[in-house]
Amino acid sequence: MSWLPMLGLTALPHLGGLYGGYVTRKQVKTWYTTLNKPSWRPPNTAFPIVWTTLYTGMGYGSCLVWKECGGFTEDAVVPLGFYGLQLALNWAWTPIFFGAHKLKMALIEIVMLTGAVGATMVSWYPVSRTASLLLTPYLAWLCLATSLNYCIWRDNPDEDEKEE
């Protein structure tokens, strides 16, 4: 495998992560501190470390699928299509939650994202078991993040209405 596609496909998810970090940076110190959050939430310092790890794993997994399918071929349409869908949903969550402060919309979006990651894993498994398993920590983190999003939405009932 050439190092250039591997590097590019592994780095691709980080682009949305960089944008998400830009959107989040100010909000974590201002708006986010005003929200009621559950006591079990991870510390803010954990998020960039976790997301860097998850983005690298999913990116490398996509590279394995791309390689096994022979590049962007007809065989790659479904597995890489699901991957693209979940990546777009992943990148959209941060601007909805932190940018627009739409807690309920972010919750609906992250549920769709979690389903899309599950579909991606199922579509990757016959192509590359390793690639599919690389998404397991991501799916687990999304379950935690979905629970956190739900609790924040539930415990801040007026937040969505304040912005309208």
Side-chain angles (χ1 to χ4, degrees):
M1 176 187 311
S2 172
W3 65 271
L4 192 58
M6 181 180 68
L7 183 63
L9 290 168
T10 302
L12 176 64
H14 293 276
L15 296 177
L18 291 170
Y19 176 69
Y22 173 77
V23 171
T24 304
R25 184 169 286 120
K26 180 181 176 189
Q27 298 298 322
V28 165
K29 296 174 186 172
T30 56
W31 170 76
Y32 190 68
T33 61
T34 68
L35 297 176
N36 297 315
K37 296 173 284 300
S39 60
W40 49 263
R41 80 184 185 287
N44 292 343
T45 55
F47 288 86
I49 297 163
V50 169
W51 279 111
T52 298
T53 304
L54 296 176
Y55 281 141
T56 302
M58 76 173 77
Y60 185 67
S62 75
C63 180
L64 294 175
V65 170
W66 177 83
K67 178 185 171 215
E68 288 299 317
C69 289
F72 296 111
T73 62
E74 188 174 330
D75 292 339
V77 170
V78 171
L80 293 181
F82 276 127
Y83 175 69
L85 171 64
Q86 73 78 29
L87 195 57
L89 288 168
N90 177 294
W91 290 350
W93 183 86
T94 300
I96 295 168
F97 186 91
F98 283 101
H101 305 170
K102 298 295 185 186
L103 305 179
K104 184 177 182 180
M105 185 183 300
L107 177 60
I108 293 166
E109 200 275 355
I110 201 169
V111 168
M112 294 187 323
L113 167 58
T114 304
V117 171
T120 302
M121 291 177 74
V122 168
S123 73
W124 282 13
Y125 194 84
V127 178
S128 170
R129 182 174 182 224
T130 300
S132 182
L133 293 174
L134 280 169
L135 296 181
T136 304
Y138 178 30
L139 186 62
W141 181 260
L142 284 176
C143 290
L144 174 81
T146 302
S147 299
L148 181 58
N149 192 153
Y150 169 75
C151 289
I152 292 172
W153 169 70
R154 179 197 65 201
D155 296 343
N156 297 275
D158 297 327
E159 189 60 34
D160 280 325
E161 286 129 28
K162 286 180 192 174
E163 300 297 322
E164 291 176 359

